[in-house]
Amino acid sequence: MTAKKQSGDKPEIAFTLEQIEQEAQPDITPLRMGVKGKVIELKSPMAMEASSMATVLEAMNASAQMGELGDAAAMIQLLPAMIGEENYQTLLDAKVTIAGLMKIQEKVEAYYEAAFAAVGVDDPKDSSSQ
């Protein structure tokens, strides 16, 4: 038989979400890029909210399907999810070229891969970068 809880009893808490978040954050330097006098800053993907990462993974899936249209078309789908719509708009406002976007995409993907590797997590795309 289990003992009944009395109305004033509180459940014992082993840890809080706040404690876990503080413990889990690796020391990864943000990726910063200058864009015509502005600075775009990408925090580590480890600091990204889970719902935002879900959006990135959905965009990865969609960009893989668009791959038949070429890397540029796939990148236009994925990059805004990875760097944020506001940062992407900053690039568009600066009149970035497709070639420039593709190079930025490479650097952002390398940053993501390094951030995941730093905490011992496999590539979220489940692919090897060879």
Side-chain angles (χ1 to χ4, degrees):
M1 294 177 82
T2 59
K4 290 185 178 181
K5 286 187 179 179
Q6 295 179 354
S7 61
D9 288 351
K10 291 185 179 180
E12 185 176 322
I13 297 173
F15 52 84
T16 66
L17 177 58
E18 292 79 12
Q19 289 169 327
I20 290 296
E21 290 289 359
Q22 186 175 14
E23 184 179 319
Q25 290 306 313
D27 187 20
I28 298 173
T29 304
L31 178 66
R32 295 182 183 96
M33 182 176 92
V35 180
K36 294 192 176 187
K38 295 181 180 180
V39 176
I40 291 176
E41 180 177 285
L42 301 180
K43 294 180 183 172
S44 163
M46 295 296 110
M48 182 181 287
E49 289 184 18
S51 62
S52 295
M53 181 53 75
T55 301
V56 169
L57 294 173
E58 288 171 12
M60 283 180 178
N61 187 37
S63 70
Q65 292 172 0
M66 290 180 67
E68 298 164 3
L69 301 174
D71 289 341
M75 176 269 314
I76 288 172
Q77 178 78 24
L78 181 56
L79 189 58
M82 293 183 83
I83 69 172
E85 293 290 337
E86 187 176 317
N87 288 336
Y88 187 71
Q89 189 60 50
T90 298
L91 294 172
L92 295 179
D93 292 346
K95 310 246 188 270
V96 65
T97 64
I98 295 298
L101 282 177
M102 291 179 75
K103 193 60 152 175
I104 292 167
Q105 176 75 22
E106 285 178 24
K107 293 185 180 294
V108 170
E109 283 187 8
Y111 176 69
Y112 268 54
E113 289 172 12
F116 281 104
V119 295
V121 175
D122 289 334
D123 184 348
K125 298 180 290 186
D126 197 25
S127 65
S128 63
S129 301
Q130 296 179 6

